[in-house]
Short mmCIF file of all heavy atoms in Angstrom, two decimals:
data_model
loop_
_atom_site.label_atom_id
_atom_site.label_comp_id
_atom_site.label_asym_id
_atom_site.label_seq_id
_atom_site.Cartn_x
_atom_site.Cartn_y
_atom_site.Cartn_z
N ALA W 68 -28.27 -3.60 -22.03
CA ALA W 68 -27.25 -4.07 -22.97
C ALA W 68 -27.93 -4.77 -24.13
O ALA W 68 -28.73 -5.69 -23.94
CB ALA W 68 -26.29 -5.02 -22.28
N CYS W 69 -27.61 -4.36 -25.35
CA CYS W 69 -28.18 -4.99 -26.54
C CYS W 69 -27.51 -6.36 -26.73
O CYS W 69 -26.28 -6.45 -26.75
CB CYS W 69 -27.95 -4.11 -27.76
SG CYS W 69 -28.62 -4.80 -29.29
N ILE W 70 -28.31 -7.41 -26.86
CA ILE W 70 -27.76 -8.76 -27.00
C ILE W 70 -28.09 -9.39 -28.35
O ILE W 70 -27.53 -10.42 -28.71
CB ILE W 70 -28.24 -9.70 -25.87
CG1 ILE W 70 -29.76 -9.77 -25.81
CG2 ILE W 70 -27.66 -9.25 -24.53
CD1 ILE W 70 -30.31 -10.80 -24.84
N SER W 71 -29.00 -8.76 -29.12
CA SER W 71 -29.38 -9.35 -30.40
C SER W 71 -30.05 -8.29 -31.27
O SER W 71 -30.70 -7.38 -30.75
CB SER W 71 -30.35 -10.51 -30.16
OG SER W 71 -30.81 -11.05 -31.38
N LEU W 72 -29.89 -8.42 -32.59
CA LEU W 72 -30.54 -7.52 -33.53
C LEU W 72 -30.98 -8.32 -34.74
O LEU W 72 -30.20 -9.10 -35.29
CB LEU W 72 -29.58 -6.39 -33.96
CG LEU W 72 -30.13 -5.39 -34.98
CD1 LEU W 72 -31.24 -4.54 -34.35
CD2 LEU W 72 -29.02 -4.51 -35.51
N ALA W 73 -32.22 -8.14 -35.15
CA ALA W 73 -32.74 -8.76 -36.37
C ALA W 73 -33.26 -7.64 -37.26
O ALA W 73 -33.88 -6.69 -36.78
CB ALA W 73 -33.85 -9.74 -36.05
N TYR W 74 -33.02 -7.75 -38.58
CA TYR W 74 -33.40 -6.70 -39.53
C TYR W 74 -34.11 -7.32 -40.72
O TYR W 74 -33.68 -8.36 -41.23
CB TYR W 74 -32.15 -5.94 -39.99
CG TYR W 74 -32.40 -4.99 -41.13
CD1 TYR W 74 -33.08 -3.80 -40.91
CD2 TYR W 74 -31.98 -5.29 -42.42
CE1 TYR W 74 -33.34 -2.93 -41.95
CE2 TYR W 74 -32.23 -4.42 -43.47
CZ TYR W 74 -32.91 -3.24 -43.22
OH TYR W 74 -33.17 -2.38 -44.27
N SER W 75 -35.18 -6.69 -41.17
CA SER W 75 -35.91 -7.13 -42.36
C SER W 75 -35.72 -6.11 -43.48
O SER W 75 -36.26 -5.00 -43.40
CB SER W 75 -37.40 -7.27 -42.05
OG SER W 75 -38.12 -7.51 -43.24
N PRO W 76 -34.97 -6.46 -44.54
CA PRO W 76 -34.75 -5.50 -45.62
C PRO W 76 -36.02 -5.18 -46.41
O PRO W 76 -36.15 -4.09 -46.96
CB PRO W 76 -33.70 -6.17 -46.51
CG PRO W 76 -33.71 -7.59 -46.13
CD PRO W 76 -34.23 -7.69 -44.74
N SER W 77 -36.98 -6.09 -46.45
CA SER W 77 -38.19 -5.85 -47.23
C SER W 77 -39.09 -4.79 -46.59
O SER W 77 -39.81 -4.09 -47.29
CB SER W 77 -38.97 -7.15 -47.43
OG SER W 77 -39.37 -7.67 -46.18
N SER W 78 -39.04 -4.66 -45.25
CA SER W 78 -39.90 -3.69 -44.59
C SER W 78 -39.14 -2.58 -43.86
O SER W 78 -39.75 -1.64 -43.38
CB SER W 78 -40.80 -4.41 -43.58
OG SER W 78 -40.01 -5.00 -42.57
N ASP W 79 -37.81 -2.70 -43.78
CA ASP W 79 -36.96 -1.75 -43.05
C ASP W 79 -37.31 -1.71 -41.56
O ASP W 79 -37.19 -0.70 -40.91
CB ASP W 79 -37.05 -0.36 -43.65
CG ASP W 79 -35.68 0.23 -43.95
OD1 ASP W 79 -34.67 -0.42 -43.63
OD2 ASP W 79 -35.63 1.35 -44.49
N ASP W 80 -37.77 -2.86 -41.03
CA ASP W 80 -38.04 -3.00 -39.60
C ASP W 80 -36.87 -3.71 -38.94
O ASP W 80 -36.15 -4.48 -39.59
CB ASP W 80 -39.29 -3.88 -39.38
CG ASP W 80 -40.57 -3.17 -39.72
OD1 ASP W 80 -40.92 -3.10 -40.92
OD2 ASP W 80 -41.22 -2.70 -38.79
N MET W 81 -36.70 -3.48 -37.65
CA MET W 81 -35.73 -4.24 -36.88
C MET W 81 -36.27 -4.49 -35.48
O MET W 81 -37.11 -3.74 -34.98
CB MET W 81 -34.37 -3.55 -36.84
CG MET W 81 -34.31 -2.26 -36.10
SD MET W 81 -32.60 -1.68 -36.04
CE MET W 81 -32.87 0.08 -36.00
N VAL W 82 -35.79 -5.57 -34.89
CA VAL W 82 -36.12 -5.91 -33.51
C VAL W 82 -34.81 -6.13 -32.78
O VAL W 82 -33.97 -6.91 -33.21
CB VAL W 82 -36.99 -7.18 -33.42
CG1 VAL W 82 -37.21 -7.58 -31.96
CG2 VAL W 82 -38.33 -6.96 -34.12
N ALA W 83 -34.63 -5.39 -31.69
CA ALA W 83 -33.43 -5.52 -30.87
C ALA W 83 -33.84 -6.09 -29.51
O ALA W 83 -34.89 -5.73 -28.97
CB ALA W 83 -32.77 -4.17 -30.68
N SER W 84 -33.01 -7.00 -28.99
CA SER W 84 -33.25 -7.59 -27.68
C SER W 84 -32.22 -7.03 -26.69
O SER W 84 -31.05 -6.87 -27.04
CB SER W 84 -33.13 -9.11 -27.74
OG SER W 84 -34.11 -9.63 -28.61
N PHE W 85 -32.69 -6.77 -25.48
CA PHE W 85 -31.84 -6.17 -24.44
C PHE W 85 -31.96 -6.96 -23.15
O PHE W 85 -32.99 -7.55 -22.88
CB PHE W 85 -32.28 -4.72 -24.17
CG PHE W 85 -32.10 -3.80 -25.34
CD1 PHE W 85 -33.09 -3.68 -26.29
CD2 PHE W 85 -30.94 -3.06 -25.47
CE1 PHE W 85 -32.93 -2.83 -27.37
CE2 PHE W 85 -30.77 -2.20 -26.55
CZ PHE W 85 -31.76 -2.08 -27.50
N ARG W 86 -30.89 -6.97 -22.37
CA ARG W 86 -30.89 -7.52 -21.02
C ARG W 86 -30.40 -6.42 -20.10
O ARG W 86 -29.78 -5.45 -20.55
CB ARG W 86 -29.97 -8.75 -20.92
CG ARG W 86 -28.51 -8.41 -21.18
CD ARG W 86 -27.58 -9.41 -20.51
NE ARG W 86 -26.21 -9.18 -20.89
CZ ARG W 86 -25.43 -8.22 -20.41
NH1 ARG W 86 -25.91 -7.35 -19.55
NH2 ARG W 86 -24.19 -8.09 -20.80
N PRO W 87 -30.65 -6.55 -18.79
CA PRO W 87 -30.15 -5.53 -17.86
C PRO W 87 -28.62 -5.47 -17.89
O PRO W 87 -27.95 -6.49 -18.11
CB PRO W 87 -30.62 -6.03 -16.48
CG PRO W 87 -31.72 -6.98 -16.77
CD PRO W 87 -31.43 -7.58 -18.11
N ARG W 88 -28.08 -4.30 -17.69
CA ARG W 88 -26.62 -4.15 -17.60
C ARG W 88 -26.13 -4.79 -16.31
O ARG W 88 -26.81 -4.76 -15.29
CB ARG W 88 -26.21 -2.69 -17.65
CG ARG W 88 -26.50 -2.06 -18.99
CD ARG W 88 -25.58 -0.90 -19.25
NE ARG W 88 -25.91 -0.30 -20.53
CZ ARG W 88 -25.44 -0.71 -21.70
NH1 ARG W 88 -24.61 -1.72 -21.74
NH2 ARG W 88 -25.79 -0.13 -22.82
N ILE W 89 -24.92 -5.35 -16.37
CA ILE W 89 -24.32 -6.00 -15.21
C ILE W 89 -23.16 -5.16 -14.72
O ILE W 89 -22.33 -4.72 -15.51
CB ILE W 89 -23.85 -7.43 -15.57
CG1 ILE W 89 -25.07 -8.26 -15.97
CG2 ILE W 89 -23.11 -8.07 -14.41
CD1 ILE W 89 -24.73 -9.62 -16.51
N ASP W 90 -23.09 -4.96 -13.41
CA ASP W 90 -22.01 -4.19 -12.80
C ASP W 90 -20.71 -4.98 -12.92
O ASP W 90 -20.61 -6.10 -12.43
CB ASP W 90 -22.35 -3.92 -11.34
CG ASP W 90 -21.28 -3.11 -10.64
OD1 ASP W 90 -20.43 -2.51 -11.32
OD2 ASP W 90 -21.31 -3.07 -9.40
N ASN W 91 -19.69 -4.40 -13.58
CA ASN W 91 -18.40 -5.07 -13.78
C ASN W 91 -17.54 -5.09 -12.52
O ASN W 91 -16.54 -5.79 -12.47
CB ASN W 91 -17.62 -4.41 -14.91
CG ASN W 91 -18.22 -4.72 -16.25
OD1 ASN W 91 -18.89 -5.73 -16.41
ND2 ASN W 91 -17.99 -3.84 -17.21
N SER W 92 -17.91 -4.36 -11.47
CA SER W 92 -17.07 -4.31 -10.28
C SER W 92 -17.13 -5.60 -9.48
O SER W 92 -16.28 -5.85 -8.64
CB SER W 92 -17.48 -3.13 -9.39
OG SER W 92 -18.79 -3.33 -8.92
N SER W 93 -18.10 -6.45 -9.75
CA SER W 93 -18.23 -7.70 -9.00
C SER W 93 -18.00 -8.89 -9.93
O SER W 93 -18.84 -9.78 -10.03
CB SER W 93 -19.59 -7.79 -8.33
OG SER W 93 -20.61 -7.72 -9.31
N GLU W 94 -16.87 -8.90 -10.65
CA GLU W 94 -16.56 -10.01 -11.57
C GLU W 94 -16.43 -11.32 -10.81
O GLU W 94 -15.93 -11.36 -9.70
CB GLU W 94 -15.26 -9.72 -12.33
CG GLU W 94 -15.39 -8.65 -13.38
CD GLU W 94 -16.29 -9.06 -14.54
OE1 GLU W 94 -16.41 -10.26 -14.85
OE2 GLU W 94 -16.89 -8.16 -15.13
N MET W 95 -16.88 -12.39 -11.42
CA MET W 95 -16.81 -13.72 -10.80
C MET W 95 -15.64 -14.49 -11.39
O MET W 95 -15.10 -14.14 -12.43
CB MET W 95 -18.10 -14.48 -11.10
CG MET W 95 -19.33 -13.83 -10.53
SD MET W 95 -20.80 -14.70 -11.03
CE MET W 95 -20.99 -14.09 -12.67
N THR W 96 -15.26 -15.59 -10.72
CA THR W 96 -14.24 -16.46 -11.28
C THR W 96 -14.82 -17.19 -12.47
O THR W 96 -16.03 -17.25 -12.65
CB THR W 96 -13.77 -17.49 -10.22
OG1 THR W 96 -14.86 -18.33 -9.90
CG2 THR W 96 -13.23 -16.81 -8.99
N SER W 97 -13.97 -17.80 -13.31
CA SER W 97 -14.46 -18.46 -14.52
C SER W 97 -15.36 -19.64 -14.20
O SER W 97 -16.32 -19.89 -14.90
CB SER W 97 -13.29 -18.89 -15.40
OG SER W 97 -12.49 -19.83 -14.72
N SER W 98 -15.10 -20.39 -13.12
CA SER W 98 -15.97 -21.51 -12.78
C SER W 98 -17.34 -21.01 -12.35
O SER W 98 -18.36 -21.60 -12.69
CB SER W 98 -15.35 -22.38 -11.68
OG SER W 98 -15.19 -21.63 -10.50
N GLN W 99 -17.39 -19.89 -11.63
CA GLN W 99 -18.67 -19.31 -11.25
C GLN W 99 -19.41 -18.81 -12.49
O GLN W 99 -20.60 -18.94 -12.59
CB GLN W 99 -18.48 -18.16 -10.27
CG GLN W 99 -18.06 -18.61 -8.89
CD GLN W 99 -17.72 -17.41 -8.02
OE1 GLN W 99 -17.14 -16.44 -8.49
NE2 GLN W 99 -18.07 -17.50 -6.76
N SER W 100 -18.66 -18.26 -13.45
CA SER W 100 -19.27 -17.77 -14.68
C SER W 100 -19.91 -18.90 -15.45
O SER W 100 -21.00 -18.74 -16.00
CB SER W 100 -18.23 -17.07 -15.56
OG SER W 100 -17.72 -15.93 -14.91
N LEU W 101 -19.23 -20.06 -15.52
CA LEU W 101 -19.80 -21.20 -16.24
C LEU W 101 -21.07 -21.70 -15.56
O LEU W 101 -22.05 -22.02 -16.23
CB LEU W 101 -18.77 -22.32 -16.35
CG LEU W 101 -17.58 -22.04 -17.26
CD1 LEU W 101 -16.56 -23.17 -17.17
CD2 LEU W 101 -18.03 -21.82 -18.68
N LEU W 102 -21.06 -21.75 -14.24
CA LEU W 102 -22.26 -22.18 -13.52
C LEU W 102 -23.40 -21.18 -13.71
O LEU W 102 -24.55 -21.55 -13.94
CB LEU W 102 -21.96 -22.35 -12.03
CG LEU W 102 -21.05 -23.52 -11.65
CD1 LEU W 102 -20.70 -23.45 -10.17
CD2 LEU W 102 -21.72 -24.84 -11.99
N THR W 103 -23.07 -19.90 -13.66
CA THR W 103 -24.08 -18.87 -13.86
C THR W 103 -24.63 -18.93 -15.28
O THR W 103 -25.82 -18.78 -15.50
CB THR W 103 -23.48 -17.48 -13.58
OG1 THR W 103 -22.98 -17.47 -12.25
CG2 THR W 103 -24.51 -16.38 -13.76
N ALA W 104 -23.76 -19.16 -16.26
CA ALA W 104 -24.20 -19.24 -17.66
C ALA W 104 -25.14 -20.42 -17.86
O ALA W 104 -26.18 -20.29 -18.52
CB ALA W 104 -23.00 -19.38 -18.59
N ALA W 105 -24.84 -21.57 -17.27
CA ALA W 105 -25.71 -22.74 -17.39
C ALA W 105 -27.06 -22.45 -16.74
O ALA W 105 -28.11 -22.80 -17.27
CB ALA W 105 -25.06 -23.96 -16.77
N HIS W 106 -27.04 -21.79 -15.58
CA HIS W 106 -28.28 -21.45 -14.88
C HIS W 106 -29.10 -20.44 -15.69
O HIS W 106 -30.32 -20.54 -15.77
CB HIS W 106 -27.94 -20.90 -13.50
CG HIS W 106 -29.15 -20.52 -12.69
ND1 HIS W 106 -30.02 -21.45 -12.19
CD2 HIS W 106 -29.63 -19.31 -12.33
CE1 HIS W 106 -30.99 -20.84 -11.54
NE2 HIS W 106 -30.77 -19.54 -11.60
N ALA W 107 -28.42 -19.47 -16.33
CA ALA W 107 -29.12 -18.44 -17.10
C ALA W 107 -29.85 -19.03 -18.30
O ALA W 107 -30.90 -18.54 -18.69
CB ALA W 107 -28.13 -17.37 -17.56
N LEU W 108 -29.28 -20.09 -18.89
CA LEU W 108 -29.95 -20.73 -20.02
C LEU W 108 -31.29 -21.31 -19.58
O LEU W 108 -32.24 -21.33 -20.34
CB LEU W 108 -29.06 -21.82 -20.62
CG LEU W 108 -27.86 -21.33 -21.40
CD1 LEU W 108 -26.97 -22.49 -21.79
CD2 LEU W 108 -28.29 -20.55 -22.62
N GLU W 109 -31.36 -21.77 -18.34
CA GLU W 109 -32.59 -22.33 -17.83
C GLU W 109 -33.56 -21.24 -17.38
O GLU W 109 -34.75 -21.32 -17.64
CB GLU W 109 -32.30 -23.25 -16.64
CG GLU W 109 -31.46 -24.46 -16.98
CD GLU W 109 -31.01 -25.22 -15.73
OE1 GLU W 109 -31.47 -24.87 -14.62
OE2 GLU W 109 -30.21 -26.14 -15.87
N GLN W 110 -33.07 -20.23 -16.69
CA GLN W 110 -33.93 -19.22 -16.07
C GLN W 110 -34.11 -17.96 -16.91
O GLN W 110 -35.21 -17.51 -17.08
CB GLN W 110 -33.35 -18.84 -14.71
CG GLN W 110 -33.25 -19.98 -13.73
CD GLN W 110 -34.61 -20.53 -13.34
OE1 GLN W 110 -35.56 -19.79 -13.18
NE2 GLN W 110 -34.71 -21.85 -13.22
N GLY W 111 -33.01 -17.38 -17.36
CA GLY W 111 -33.07 -16.11 -18.05
C GLY W 111 -33.27 -14.96 -17.07
O GLY W 111 -33.36 -15.15 -15.86
N VAL W 112 -33.32 -13.76 -17.60
CA VAL W 112 -33.56 -12.56 -16.80
C VAL W 112 -34.62 -11.73 -17.51
O VAL W 112 -34.87 -11.91 -18.70
CB VAL W 112 -32.27 -11.71 -16.62
CG1 VAL W 112 -31.23 -12.45 -15.82
CG2 VAL W 112 -31.72 -11.26 -17.95
N GLN W 113 -35.21 -10.80 -16.78
CA GLN W 113 -36.23 -9.94 -17.37
C GLN W 113 -35.54 -8.94 -18.30
O GLN W 113 -34.71 -8.15 -17.87
CB GLN W 113 -37.01 -9.20 -16.28
CG GLN W 113 -38.17 -8.39 -16.79
CD GLN W 113 -39.30 -9.26 -17.32
OE1 GLN W 113 -39.61 -10.29 -16.76
NE2 GLN W 113 -39.90 -8.86 -18.41
N GLY W 114 -35.86 -8.99 -19.57
CA GLY W 114 -35.29 -8.09 -20.56
C GLY W 114 -36.39 -7.52 -21.42
O GLY W 114 -37.57 -7.52 -21.03
N SER W 115 -36.03 -7.07 -22.62
CA SER W 115 -37.03 -6.50 -23.51
C SER W 115 -36.66 -6.70 -24.97
O SER W 115 -35.49 -6.91 -25.31
CB SER W 115 -37.20 -5.00 -23.22
OG SER W 115 -35.98 -4.32 -23.46
N HIS W 116 -37.68 -6.64 -25.81
CA HIS W 116 -37.53 -6.65 -27.26
C HIS W 116 -38.13 -5.34 -27.76
O HIS W 116 -39.26 -4.98 -27.38
CB HIS W 116 -38.26 -7.83 -27.91
CG HIS W 116 -37.85 -9.17 -27.39
ND1 HIS W 116 -36.57 -9.66 -27.53
CD2 HIS W 116 -38.55 -10.10 -26.72
CE1 HIS W 116 -36.51 -10.86 -26.97
NE2 HIS W 116 -37.70 -11.16 -26.47
N VAL W 117 -37.39 -4.61 -28.59
CA VAL W 117 -37.85 -3.32 -29.10
C VAL W 117 -38.00 -3.41 -30.61
O VAL W 117 -37.07 -3.82 -31.31
CB VAL W 117 -36.84 -2.19 -28.74
CG1 VAL W 117 -37.32 -0.85 -29.27
CG2 VAL W 117 -36.63 -2.13 -27.24
N HIS W 118 -39.19 -3.04 -31.12
CA HIS W 118 -39.48 -3.05 -32.55
C HIS W 118 -39.35 -1.63 -33.08
O HIS W 118 -40.01 -0.71 -32.59
CB HIS W 118 -40.90 -3.58 -32.78
CG HIS W 118 -41.32 -3.60 -34.21
ND1 HIS W 118 -42.63 -3.71 -34.58
CD2 HIS W 118 -40.62 -3.53 -35.36
CE1 HIS W 118 -42.73 -3.70 -35.88
NE2 HIS W 118 -41.51 -3.58 -36.38
N LEU W 119 -38.46 -1.44 -34.07
CA LEU W 119 -38.21 -0.13 -34.66
C LEU W 119 -38.41 -0.18 -36.17
O LEU W 119 -38.20 -1.21 -36.80
CB LEU W 119 -36.76 0.30 -34.38
CG LEU W 119 -36.37 0.41 -32.91
CD1 LEU W 119 -34.89 0.20 -32.73
CD2 LEU W 119 -36.77 1.77 -32.39
#
Side-chain angles (χ1 to χ4, degrees):
C69 180
I70 57 173
S71 176
L72 179 68
Y74 171 74
S75 172
S77 62
S78 63
D79 231 357
D80 287 81
M81 66 175 150
V82 175
S84 298
F85 296 87
R86 63 155 173 77
R88 293 206 182 275
I89 297 173
D90 181 15
N91 288 335
S92 64
S93 59
E94 287 293 332
M95 298 175 281
T96 65
S97 62
S98 63
Q99 288 173 322
S100 296
L101 291 174
L102 291 172
T103 302
H106 180 70
L108 288 173
E109 297 171 7
Q110 299 295 322
V112 295
Q113 186 69 39
S115 62
H116 303 297
V117 180
H118 179 197
L119 300 153

